[in-house]
Amino acid sequence: MKEFTYKVKDELGIHARPAGLLVKEAAKFGCGIKITKGGKSADAKRLFALMGLAVKCGDEITVSCDGADEDAAVRELENFVSSNL
């Protein structure tokens, strides 16, 4: 399992548009991808689960990838998150 932590800088947090883009990005990989905030976690490939985390600006999230293509997934998602959130 590979993971990274990121502090959300988007002033609106993870709202509908970036959440949809994040789900599309996560869907490109076969490995399991979870996003955790506080004590709650969500499948990054499920929009409503991701929105249910209610991530706001300044919140710290952890993105965990577990599976065959986890190295590529962590690398790509870290780039995506830092560019879009």
Side-chain angles (χ1 to χ4, degrees):
M1 178 166 62
K2 305 277 185 175
E3 64 182 30
F4 67 91
T5 303
Y6 180 76
K7 187 172 185 177
V8 176
K9 295 175 179 72
D10 186 310
E11 62 187 37
L12 298 175
I14 300 180
H15 55 94
R17 187 175 40 81
L21 294 173
L22 180 55
V23 168
K24 282 184 181 179
E25 191 67 26
K28 295 178 183 177
F29 302 98
C31 64
I33 302 171
K34 280 189 171 182
I35 296 183
T36 305
K37 178 196 130 194
K40 295 171 57 176
S41 65
D43 182 346
K45 297 178 184 181
R46 303 188 64 174
L47 181 61
F48 290 113
L50 186 57
M51 294 294 294
L53 291 177
V55 178
K56 307 222 180 312
C57 182
D59 287 347
E60 192 169 271
I61 60 170
T62 301
V63 180
S64 308
C65 303
D66 189 19
D69 56 354
E70 64 189 28
D71 292 324
V74 161
R75 187 172 49 253
E76 293 298 319
L77 289 172
E78 193 164 15
N79 287 337
F80 176 85
V81 167
S82 63
S83 298
N84 294 284
L85 301 176

